[in-house]
Amino acid sequence: MLFVFVLETGGDLTLITRPLPMQIALALPPVIAVLAAGTAVGAILAWWHSYWSLRIRLHQTVLAVLGVGFSWQLATLGFLPV
């Protein structure tokens, strides 16, 4: 949403001049990918060591799958170097 907001408010030269909000928007995908990987590792460890209850482990697993899927989508769109 930040990327679209910056494009709408910045005008046509936003992609060329890269103002600070655009730089922040373009820096977020790698951060999201790292956090998604950390969530996936946390979910694996939670299942491996039986941390938390079954309900919480399932919730963590769903969050990890959604995060990895979103990161894959960002990579497909070209926002993440593969």
Side-chain angles (χ1 to χ4, degrees):
M1 287 180 20
L2 178 64
F3 185 73
V4 173
F5 176 74
V6 170
L7 283 177
E8 288 294 323
T9 59
D12 294 334
L13 296 177
T14 302
L15 293 174
I16 297 171
T17 60
R18 290 200 185 184
L20 181 62
M22 178 58 82
Q23 292 175 4
I24 292 171
L26 292 175
L28 285 178
V31 173
I32 292 170
V34 168
L35 291 175
T39 303
V41 168
I44 292 168
L45 289 175
W47 283 102
W48 186 269
H49 297 291
S50 298
Y51 296 143
W52 310 313
S53 68
L54 177 64
R55 187 173 141 204
I56 295 173
R57 283 183 280 168
L58 286 172
H59 181 264
Q60 183 74 13
T61 303
V62 168
L63 289 178
V65 168
L66 289 173
V68 169
F70 185 65
S71 296
W72 173 77
Q73 188 67 31
L74 287 173
T76 302
L77 293 173
F79 287 104
L80 289 174
V82 178

Coordinates of all heavy atoms in Angstrom, one line a residue:
M1 N 0.8 -1.2 0.0 CA 0.0 0.0 0.0 C 0.9 1.3 0.0 O 0.5 2.2 -0.6 CB -0.9 0.0 1.2 CG -2.0 -1.0 1.1 SD -3.2 -1.2 2.5 CE -3.1 0.3 3.4
L2 N 2.0 1.2 0.7 CA 2.9 2.4 0.7 C 3.4 2.7 -0.7 O 3.5 3.8 -1.1 CB 4.0 2.1 1.7 CG 5.1 3.2 1.8 CD1 4.5 4.5 2.3 CD2 6.2 2.8 2.7
F3 N 3.7 1.6 -1.4 CA 4.3 1.8 -2.8 C 3.2 2.5 -3.7 O 3.6 3.5 -4.4 CB 4.6 0.5 -3.4 CG 5.3 0.6 -4.7 CD1 6.6 1.0 -4.8 CD2 4.6 0.2 -5.9 CE1 7.2 1.1 -6.1 CE2 5.2 0.3 -7.1 CZ 6.5 0.7 -7.2
V4 N 2.0 2.1 -3.6 CA 0.9 2.7 -4.4 C 0.7 4.2 -3.9 O 0.5 5.1 -4.7 CB -0.4 1.9 -4.4 CG1 -1.5 2.6 -5.0 CG2 -0.1 0.5 -5.0
F5 N 0.7 4.4 -2.6 CA 0.5 5.7 -2.1 C 1.6 6.7 -2.6 O 1.3 7.8 -3.0 CB 0.4 5.7 -0.6 CG 0.3 7.0 0.1 CD1 -0.9 7.7 0.1 CD2 1.4 7.6 0.7 CE1 -1.0 8.9 0.6 CE2 1.3 8.8 1.3 CZ 0.1 9.5 1.3
V6 N 2.8 6.2 -2.5 CA 3.9 7.1 -3.0 C 3.8 7.4 -4.4 O 4.0 8.5 -4.9 CB 5.3 6.4 -2.6 CG1 6.4 7.2 -3.2 CG2 5.5 6.4 -1.1
L7 N 3.4 6.4 -5.2 CA 3.3 6.7 -6.7 C 2.1 7.6 -6.9 O 2.2 8.5 -7.8 CB 3.0 5.3 -7.4 CG 4.2 4.5 -7.6 CD1 3.8 3.2 -8.3 CD2 5.3 5.2 -8.5
E8 N 1.0 7.5 -6.2 CA -0.1 8.4 -6.4 C 0.2 9.8 -6.0 O -0.2 10.8 -6.6 CB -1.3 7.9 -5.7 CG -1.9 6.7 -6.2 CD -2.5 6.9 -7.6 OE1 -3.1 8.0 -7.8 OE2 -2.4 6.0 -8.5
T9 N 0.9 10.0 -4.9 CA 1.2 11.4 -4.4 C 2.4 12.0 -5.0 O 2.5 13.2 -5.0 CB 1.3 11.4 -2.9 OG1 2.4 10.5 -2.5 CG2 0.0 10.9 -2.2
G10 N 3.3 11.2 -5.5 CA 4.6 11.7 -6.0 C 4.6 12.2 -7.4 O 5.5 12.9 -7.9
G11 N 3.7 11.7 -8.2 CA 3.6 12.1 -9.6 C 4.5 11.1 -10.5 O 4.9 10.1 -10.1
D12 N 4.7 11.6 -11.7 CA 5.3 10.7 -12.7 C 6.8 10.5 -12.5 O 7.4 9.5 -12.9 CB 5.1 11.3 -14.1 CG 3.6 11.3 -14.6 OD1 2.9 10.4 -14.0 OD2 3.2 12.1 -15.4
L13 N 7.4 11.5 -11.9 CA 8.9 11.4 -11.7 C 9.3 10.6 -10.5 O 10.5 10.6 -10.1 CB 9.5 12.8 -11.7 CG 9.4 13.6 -13.0 CD1 9.9 15.0 -12.9 CD2 10.0 12.8 -14.2
T14 N 8.4 10.1 -9.8 CA 8.7 9.4 -8.5 C 9.6 8.2 -8.7 O 10.6 8.0 -7.9 CB 7.4 8.9 -7.8 OG1 6.5 10.0 -7.6 CG2 7.7 8.2 -6.5
L15 N 9.5 7.5 -9.8 CA 10.4 6.3 -10.0 C 11.8 6.7 -10.4 O 12.7 6.0 -10.2 CB 9.7 5.4 -11.1 CG 8.5 4.7 -10.7 CD1 7.9 3.9 -11.8 CD2 8.7 3.8 -9.5
I16 N 11.9 7.9 -11.0 CA 13.2 8.4 -11.5 C 13.9 9.1 -10.4 O 15.1 8.8 -10.1 CB 13.0 9.3 -12.7 CG1 12.4 8.5 -13.8 CG2 14.4 9.9 -13.1 CD1 12.0 9.4 -15.0
T17 N 13.3 10.0 -9.6 CA 13.9 10.8 -8.6 C 14.1 10.1 -7.3 O 15.0 10.4 -6.5 CB 13.2 12.1 -8.4 OG1 11.8 11.8 -7.9 CG2 13.1 13.0 -9.6
R18 N 13.3 9.1 -7.0 CA 13.3 8.3 -5.8 C 13.3 9.1 -4.5 O 14.4 9.1 -3.8 CB 14.4 7.3 -5.8 CG 14.2 6.2 -6.8 CD 15.0 5.0 -6.5 NE 14.8 4.0 -7.6 CZ 15.4 2.9 -7.5 NH1 16.1 2.5 -6.5 NH2 15.2 2.0 -8.5
P19 N 12.2 9.8 -4.2 CA 12.2 10.5 -2.9 C 12.3 9.6 -1.7 O 12.2 8.4 -1.9 CB 10.9 11.3 -3.0 CG 10.0 10.5 -3.9 CD 11.0 9.9 -4.9
L20 N 12.4 10.1 -0.5 CA 12.6 9.3 0.7 C 11.5 8.3 0.9 O 11.7 7.1 1.2 CB 12.8 10.2 1.9 CG 13.0 9.4 3.2 CD1 14.3 8.6 3.1 CD2 13.0 10.4 4.4
P21 N 10.2 8.7 0.7 CA 9.1 7.7 0.9 C 9.3 6.5 -0.1 O 9.0 5.4 0.2 CB 7.8 8.5 0.7 CG 8.2 9.9 1.0 CD 9.6 10.0 0.6
M22 N 9.7 6.8 -1.3 CA 9.9 5.7 -2.3 C 11.0 4.8 -1.9 O 11.0 3.6 -2.1 CB 10.1 6.3 -3.7 CG 10.3 5.2 -4.8 SD 9.0 4.1 -4.9 CE 7.9 5.0 -5.9
Q23 N 12.1 5.4 -1.4 CA 13.2 4.6 -0.9 C 12.8 3.7 0.2 O 13.2 2.5 0.3 CB 14.4 5.5 -0.5 CG 15.0 6.2 -1.6 CD 16.1 7.2 -1.2 OE1 16.4 7.3 0.0 NE2 16.6 8.0 -2.1
I24 N 12.0 4.2 1.1 CA 11.5 3.4 2.2 C 10.6 2.2 1.7 O 10.7 1.1 2.1 CB 10.7 4.2 3.2 CG1 11.7 5.2 3.9 CG2 10.0 3.4 4.2 CD1 11.0 6.2 4.8
A25 N 9.7 2.6 0.7 CA 8.8 1.5 0.1 C 9.6 0.5 -0.6 O 9.3 -0.7 -0.5 CB 7.8 2.2 -0.8
L26 N 10.7 0.8 -1.2 CA 11.5 -0.2 -1.9 C 12.4 -1.0 -1.0 O 12.9 -2.0 -1.4 CB 12.3 0.5 -3.0 CG 11.5 1.1 -4.2 CD1 12.4 1.8 -5.2 CD2 10.8 0.0 -4.9
A27 N 12.7 -0.4 0.2 CA 13.5 -1.2 1.2 C 12.7 -2.2 2.0 O 13.3 -3.1 2.6 CB 14.1 -0.2 2.1
L28 N 11.4 -2.1 2.0 CA 10.5 -3.0 2.8 C 10.5 -4.4 2.3 O 10.5 -5.3 3.1 CB 9.1 -2.4 2.9 CG 8.9 -1.2 3.8 CD1 7.5 -0.8 3.7 CD2 9.3 -1.6 5.2
P29 N 10.5 -4.7 1.0 CA 10.4 -6.2 0.6 C 11.5 -7.1 1.2 O 11.3 -8.2 1.6 CB 10.4 -6.1 -0.9 CG 9.8 -4.8 -1.2 CD 10.3 -3.9 -0.2
P30 N 12.8 -6.6 1.2 CA 13.8 -7.5 1.8 C 13.6 -7.7 3.3 O 13.8 -8.8 3.8 CB 15.2 -6.8 1.5 CG 14.9 -5.9 0.4 CD 13.5 -5.5 0.5
V31 N 13.1 -6.7 4.0 CA 12.8 -6.8 5.4 C 11.7 -7.8 5.6 O 11.7 -8.6 6.5 CB 12.4 -5.4 6.0 CG1 12.0 -5.5 7.4 CG2 13.6 -4.4 5.9
I32 N 10.7 -7.7 4.8 CA 9.5 -8.6 4.8 C 10.0 -10.1 4.6 O 9.6 -11.0 5.3 CB 8.4 -8.2 3.8 CG1 7.8 -6.9 4.2 CG2 7.4 -9.3 3.7 CD1 6.9 -6.3 3.2
A33 N 10.9 -10.3 3.7 CA 11.4 -11.6 3.4 C 12.2 -12.2 4.6 O 12.1 -13.3 4.9 CB 12.3 -11.6 2.1
V34 N 13.0 -11.3 5.2 CA 13.8 -11.8 6.4 C 12.8 -12.2 7.5 O 13.0 -13.2 8.2 CB 14.8 -10.7 6.8 CG1 15.4 -11.0 8.1 CG2 15.9 -10.6 5.7
L35 N 11.8 -11.3 7.7 CA 10.9 -11.6 8.8 C 10.1 -12.9 8.5 O 9.8 -13.6 9.4 CB 10.0 -10.4 9.0 CG 10.6 -9.2 9.6 CD1 9.7 -8.0 9.7 CD2 11.2 -9.5 11.0
A36 N 9.7 -13.1 7.3 CA 9.0 -14.3 6.9 C 9.8 -15.5 7.1 O 9.3 -16.6 7.6 CB 8.5 -14.2 5.4
A37 N 11.1 -15.4 6.7 CA 12.0 -16.6 7.0 C 12.2 -16.9 8.5 O 12.2 -18.0 8.9 CB 13.4 -16.3 6.3
G38 N 12.3 -15.8 9.3 CA 12.3 -16.0 10.7 C 11.1 -16.6 11.3 O 11.2 -17.4 12.2
T39 N 9.9 -16.2 10.8 CA 8.7 -16.8 11.2 C 8.6 -18.3 10.8 O 8.2 -19.1 11.6 CB 7.5 -16.0 10.6 OG1 7.6 -14.7 11.0 CG2 6.2 -16.6 11.1
A40 N 9.1 -18.6 9.6 CA 9.1 -20.0 9.2 C 10.0 -20.8 10.1 O 9.7 -22.0 10.5 CB 9.5 -20.1 7.8
V41 N 11.2 -20.3 10.4 CA 12.1 -21.0 11.3 C 11.5 -21.2 12.7 O 11.6 -22.3 13.3 CB 13.5 -20.3 11.4 CG1 14.4 -20.8 12.5 CG2 14.2 -20.4 10.1
G42 N 10.8 -20.2 13.2 CA 10.2 -20.3 14.5 C 9.1 -21.3 14.5 O 8.9 -22.0 15.5
A43 N 8.3 -21.4 13.4 CA 7.3 -22.4 13.3 C 7.9 -23.8 13.3 O 7.4 -24.7 13.9 CB 6.4 -22.2 12.0
I44 N 9.0 -24.0 12.5 CA 9.6 -25.3 12.5 C 10.2 -25.7 13.9 O 10.0 -26.8 14.3 CB 10.8 -25.3 11.5 CG1 10.2 -25.2 10.0 CG2 11.7 -26.5 11.6 CD1 11.2 -24.9 9.0
L45 N 10.8 -24.7 14.6 CA 11.3 -25.0 15.9 C 10.1 -25.3 16.9 O 10.3 -26.1 17.8 CB 12.1 -23.8 16.4 CG 13.5 -23.7 15.8 CD1 14.1 -22.4 16.3 CD2 14.3 -24.9 16.0
A46 N 9.0 -24.6 16.7 CA 7.9 -24.8 17.6 C 7.3 -26.2 17.4 O 6.9 -26.9 18.4 CB 6.8 -23.8 17.3
W47 N 7.3 -26.7 16.2 CA 6.8 -28.1 16.0 C 7.9 -29.1 16.4 O 7.5 -30.2 17.0 CB 6.5 -28.4 14.5 CG 5.2 -27.7 14.1 CD1 5.0 -26.6 13.5 CD2 3.9 -28.3 14.4 NE1 3.6 -26.4 13.3 CE2 2.9 -27.4 13.9 CE3 3.4 -29.4 15.1 CZ2 1.6 -27.6 14.0 CZ3 2.1 -29.6 15.2 CH2 1.1 -28.7 14.7
W48 N 9.1 -28.8 16.2 CA 10.2 -29.8 16.5 C 10.3 -30.0 18.1 O 10.5 -31.1 18.5 CB 11.5 -29.2 16.0 CG 12.7 -30.1 16.2 CD1 13.6 -30.2 17.2 CD2 13.1 -31.1 15.2 NE1 14.5 -31.1 17.0 CE2 14.2 -31.7 15.8 CE3 12.6 -31.5 14.0 CZ2 14.9 -32.8 15.2 CZ3 13.3 -32.6 13.4 CH2 14.4 -33.2 14.0
H49 N 10.2 -28.9 18.8 CA 10.4 -29.0 20.3 C 9.1 -28.9 21.0 O 9.1 -28.8 22.3 CB 11.3 -27.8 20.8 CG 12.7 -27.9 20.2 ND1 13.6 -28.9 20.6 CD2 13.3 -27.1 19.3 CE1 14.7 -28.7 19.9 NE2 14.6 -27.6 19.1
S50 N 7.9 -29.0 20.3 CA 6.6 -28.9 20.9 C 6.4 -27.7 21.8 O 5.8 -27.8 22.9 CB 6.3 -30.2 21.7 OG 6.4 -31.3 20.9
Y51 N 6.8 -26.6 21.4 CA 6.5 -25.3 22.1 C 5.1 -25.0 22.0 O 4.5 -25.3 21.0 CB 7.3 -24.2 21.5 CG 8.8 -24.3 21.7 CD1 9.7 -23.8 20.7 CD2 9.4 -24.8 22.8 CE1 11.1 -23.9 20.8 CE2 10.8 -24.9 22.9 CZ 11.6 -24.4 21.9 OH 13.0 -24.5 22.0
W52 N 4.5 -24.4 22.9 CA 3.1 -23.9 22.9 C 2.1 -25.0 22.7 O 2.4 -26.2 22.6 CB 3.0 -22.8 21.8 CG 4.0 -21.7 21.8 CD1 4.4 -21.0 22.9 CD2 4.7 -21.2 20.7 NE1 5.3 -20.1 22.6 CE2 5.6 -20.2 21.2 CE3 4.7 -21.5 19.4 CZ2 6.4 -19.5 20.4 CZ3 5.6 -20.8 18.6 CH2 6.4 -19.8 19.1
S53 N 0.9 -24.6 22.6 CA -0.2 -25.5 22.4 C -0.4 -25.8 20.9 O 0.2 -25.1 20.1 CB -1.5 -25.0 23.0 OG -2.0 -23.9 22.2
L54 N -1.2 -26.8 20.6 CA -1.4 -27.2 19.2 C -2.0 -26.0 18.4 O -1.6 -25.7 17.3 CB -2.3 -28.4 19.1 CG -2.7 -28.8 17.6 CD1 -1.4 -29.2 16.9 CD2 -3.7 -29.9 17.7
R55 N -3.0 -25.3 19.0 CA -3.6 -24.2 18.4 C -2.7 -23.1 18.0 O -2.7 -22.5 16.9 CB -4.7 -23.7 19.3 CG -5.6 -22.6 18.7 CD -6.7 -22.4 19.7 NE -7.0 -20.9 19.7 CZ -7.5 -20.3 20.6 NH1 -7.9 -20.9 21.7 NH2 -7.7 -19.0 20.5
I56 N -1.8 -22.8 18.9 CA -0.8 -21.7 18.7 C 0.2 -22.1 17.6 O 0.6 -21.3 16.8 CB -0.1 -21.3 20.0 CG1 -1.2 -20.6 20.9 CG2 1.0 -20.3 19.7 CD1 -0.7 -20.3 22.3
R57 N 0.6 -23.4 17.7 CA 1.6 -23.8 16.6 C 0.9 -23.8 15.2 O 1.6 -23.5 14.3 CB 2.0 -25.2 17.0 CG 3.1 -25.3 18.0 CD 3.6 -26.6 18.3 NE 2.6 -27.3 19.1 CZ 2.6 -28.6 19.4 NH1 3.5 -29.4 18.8 NH2 1.7 -29.1 20.1
L58 N -0.3 -24.2 15.1 CA -1.0 -24.1 13.9 C -1.1 -22.6 13.4 O -0.9 -22.3 12.2 CB -2.4 -24.7 14.0 CG -2.5 -26.2 14.0 CD1 -3.9 -26.7 14.3 CD2 -2.0 -26.8 12.8
H59 N -1.4 -21.7 14.3 CA -1.5 -20.3 14.0 C -0.1 -19.8 13.5 O 0.0 -19.1 12.5 CB -1.9 -19.5 15.2 CG -2.1 -18.0 14.9 ND1 -1.1 -17.2 15.2 CD2 -3.1 -17.3 14.4 CE1 -1.5 -15.9 14.9 NE2 -2.7 -16.0 14.4
Q60 N 0.9 -20.2 14.1 CA 2.3 -19.8 13.7 C 2.6 -20.4 12.4 O 3.2 -19.7 11.5 CB 3.3 -20.3 14.8 CG 4.7 -19.9 14.5 CD 5.0 -18.4 14.8 OE1 4.2 -17.7 15.4 NE2 6.1 -17.9 14.3
T61 N 2.2 -21.6 12.1 CA 2.5 -22.2 10.8 C 1.7 -21.5 9.7 O 2.3 -21.3 8.6 CB 2.1 -23.7 10.9 OG1 2.8 -24.3 11.9 CG2 2.3 -24.4 9.5
V62 N 0.5 -21.1 9.9 CA -0.3 -20.4 8.9 C 0.4 -19.1 8.6 O 0.5 -18.7 7.5 CB -1.8 -20.2 9.4 CG1 -2.5 -19.2 8.5 CG2 -2.5 -21.5 9.4
L63 N 0.8 -18.4 9.7 CA 1.5 -17.1 9.5 C 2.8 -17.3 8.7 O 3.1 -16.5 7.8 CB 1.8 -16.4 10.8 CG 0.7 -15.9 11.6 CD1 1.2 -15.3 12.9 CD2 -0.1 -14.8 10.8
A64 N 3.5 -18.4 8.9 CA 4.7 -18.6 8.2 C 4.5 -18.9 6.7 O 5.2 -18.4 5.9 CB 5.5 -19.8 8.9
V65 N 3.4 -19.7 6.5 CA 3.1 -20.0 5.1 C 2.7 -18.8 4.3 O 3.1 -18.6 3.2 CB 2.0 -21.1 5.0 CG1 1.4 -21.3 3.7 CG2 2.5 -22.4 5.5
L66 N 1.9 -17.9 5.0 CA 1.4 -16.7 4.3 C 2.6 -15.8 4.1 O 2.7 -15.1 3.0 CB 0.4 -16.0 5.2 CG -1.0 -16.7 5.3 CD1 -1.9 -15.9 6.3 CD2 -1.6 -16.7 3.9
G67 N 3.5 -15.7 5.0 CA 4.7 -14.8 4.9 C 5.6 -15.3 3.8 O 6.1 -14.5 2.9
V68 N 5.8 -16.6 3.7 CA 6.7 -17.2 2.6 C 6.0 -17.0 1.3 O 6.6 -16.6 0.3 CB 7.0 -18.6 2.9 CG1 7.7 -19.3 1.7 CG2 7.9 -18.7 4.1
G69 N 4.7 -17.2 1.2 CA 3.9 -17.0 0.0 C 4.0 -15.5 -0.5 O 4.1 -15.3 -1.7
F70 N 3.9 -14.6 0.5 CA 3.9 -13.2 0.1 C 5.3 -12.8 -0.4 O 5.5 -12.1 -1.4 CB 3.5 -12.3 1.3 CG 3.5 -10.9 1.0 CD1 2.5 -10.4 0.1 CD2 4.3 -10.0 1.6 CE1 2.5 -9.0 -0.2 CE2 4.3 -8.6 1.3 CZ 3.3 -8.1 0.4
S71 N 6.4 -13.4 0.2 CA 7.7 -13.1 -0.2 C 8.0 -13.7 -1.6 O 8.6 -13.1 -2.4 CB 8.7 -13.7 0.8 OG 8.6 -13.1 2.0
W72 N 7.4 -14.9 -1.9 CA 7.5 -15.5 -3.2 C 6.8 -14.6 -4.2 O 7.3 -14.4 -5.3 CB 6.9 -16.9 -3.2 CG 6.8 -17.5 -4.5 CD1 7.8 -18.1 -5.3 CD2 5.6 -17.5 -5.4 NE1 7.3 -18.5 -6.5 CE2 6.0 -18.2 -6.6 CE3 4.3 -17.1 -5.2 CZ2 5.1 -18.4 -7.6 CZ3 3.4 -17.4 -6.2 CH2 3.8 -18.0 -7.4
Q73 N 5.7 -14.0 -3.9 CA 5.0 -13.1 -4.8 C 5.8 -11.8 -5.0 O 5.9 -11.4 -6.2 CB 3.6 -12.7 -4.2 CG 2.7 -11.9 -5.1 CD 2.3 -12.8 -6.3 OE1 2.1 -14.0 -6.2 NE2 2.1 -12.1 -7.4
L74 N 6.4 -11.3 -4.0 CA 7.3 -10.1 -4.2 C 8.5 -10.5 -5.1 O 8.9 -9.7 -5.9 CB 7.8 -9.6 -2.8 CG 6.8 -8.9 -1.9 CD1 7.4 -8.7 -0.6 CD2 6.3 -7.6 -2.6
A75 N 9.0 -11.7 -5.0 CA 10.1 -12.1 -5.8 C 9.7 -12.2 -7.3 O 10.4 -11.9 -8.2 CB 10.8 -13.4 -5.3
T76 N 8.5 -12.8 -7.4 CA 7.9 -13.0 -8.8 C 7.7 -11.6 -9.5 O 7.9 -11.5 -10.7 CB 6.6 -13.7 -8.7 OG1 6.8 -15.0 -8.1 CG2 6.0 -13.9 -10.1
L77 N 7.3 -10.6 -8.7 CA 7.0 -9.3 -9.2 C 8.3 -8.5 -9.5 O 8.2 -7.4 -10.0 CB 6.1 -8.5 -8.3 CG 4.6 -9.1 -8.3 CD1 3.8 -8.3 -7.2 CD2 4.0 -8.9 -9.6
G78 N 9.4 -9.0 -9.0 CA 10.7 -8.3 -9.2 C 11.1 -7.4 -8.1 O 12.1 -6.6 -8.3
F79 N 10.5 -7.4 -6.9 CA 10.9 -6.6 -5.8 C 12.0 -7.2 -5.0 O 12.6 -6.5 -4.2 CB 9.7 -6.3 -4.9 CG 8.7 -5.3 -5.5 CD1 7.5 -5.8 -6.1 CD2 9.0 -4.0 -5.7 CE1 6.6 -4.9 -6.6 CE2 8.1 -3.1 -6.2 CZ 6.9 -3.6 -6.7
L80 N 12.2 -8.5 -5.1 CA 13.3 -9.2 -4.4 C 14.3 -9.8 -5.4 O 13.9 -10.5 -6.3 CB 12.7 -10.3 -3.5 CG 11.9 -9.9 -2.3 CD1 11.3 -11.1 -1.6 CD2 12.8 -9.1 -1.3
P81 N 15.6 -9.6 -5.2 CA 16.5 -10.3 -6.1 C 16.6 -11.8 -5.7 O 16.6 -12.1 -4.5 CB 17.9 -9.6 -5.7 CG 17.7 -9.0 -4.4 CD 16.2 -8.7 -4.3
V82 N 16.5 -12.6 -6.7 CA 16.5 -14.0 -6.4 C 17.9 -14.6 -6.6 O 18.7 -14.3 -7.2 CB 15.5 -14.7 -7.4 CG1 15.5 -16.2 -7.2 CG2 14.1 -14.2 -7.2

